[in-house]
Amino acid sequence: MRDGQRTAGATLILTVLIVLLLLAVVLATTGQLALSASRSSADQNATLQAQYVAQSGVARAQARLNLISKLLDTSSSVTNASNQVLKTGLQIPDGTASTQIGTLVQSLCGVAYLPAPIPTPTRSCPAQTRPRRAVC
């Protein structure tokens, strides 16, 4: 009987160790899945934010282009109270300075100042793609 009790005690210890090992594996796997889900959520959030920024930039560009198109459209006309036919749109004579154009746009739009222009990106060529001068 004594050998049976020793075996039973050893079996119990071995069983507890195996259960603890399995529990540790389950906890480690759960932790990895939670971290992975968190990273995936952060990546999706960043992607969505970038998409919203891009869409708002496109919408802003479209709004500016529509405004410019309306300002420069002289094909339509309106009749005032004196039955005079007036062309709509911004009519700019040749040789007008850009400051005068800005003043005309401000008065047409009824604003005190115009937004700053969007800078035009400059493109620079890498040194190896520039043409070399002939040396005489």
Side-chain angles (χ1 to χ4, degrees):
M1 278 279 207
R2 220 158 188 214
D3 286 337
Q5 287 178 346
R6 283 187 188 176
T7 307
T11 306
L12 178 64
I13 291 174
L14 188 58
T15 304
V16 169
L17 288 177
I18 290 174
V19 168
L20 286 175
L21 181 65
L22 288 175
L23 185 61
V25 168
V26 168
L27 286 174
T29 304
T30 304
Q32 287 296 326
L33 288 174
L35 285 175
S36 176
S38 175
R39 288 183 191 133
S40 176
S41 176
D43 289 345
Q44 281 182 331
N45 190 19
T47 301
L48 191 62
Q49 186 177 8
Q51 181 181 356
Y52 288 156
V53 168
Q55 286 176 347
S56 69
V58 169
R60 182 176 180 199
Q62 286 176 338
R64 278 190 169 213
L65 290 174
N66 287 338
L67 176 65
I68 290 170
S69 174
K70 287 178 185 176
L71 289 175
L72 297 179
D73 182 22
T74 57
S75 63
S76 59
S77 59
V78 293
T79 306
N80 66 4
S82 321
N83 287 332
Q84 293 176 329
V85 177
L86 303 172
K87 286 191 170 201
T88 60
L90 186 62
Q91 298 175 2
I92 303 170
D94 290 337
T96 306
S98 62
T99 56
Q100 291 173 326
I101 294 172
T103 306
L104 289 172
V105 171
Q106 285 176 340
S107 65
L108 181 66
C109 296
V111 295
Y113 64 93
L114 295 175
I118 298 173
T120 308
T122 57
R123 187 170 167 229
S124 61
C125 299
Q128 57 267 43
T129 60
R130 293 183 188 153
R132 295 184 180 198
R133 292 186 185 187
V135 178
C136 298

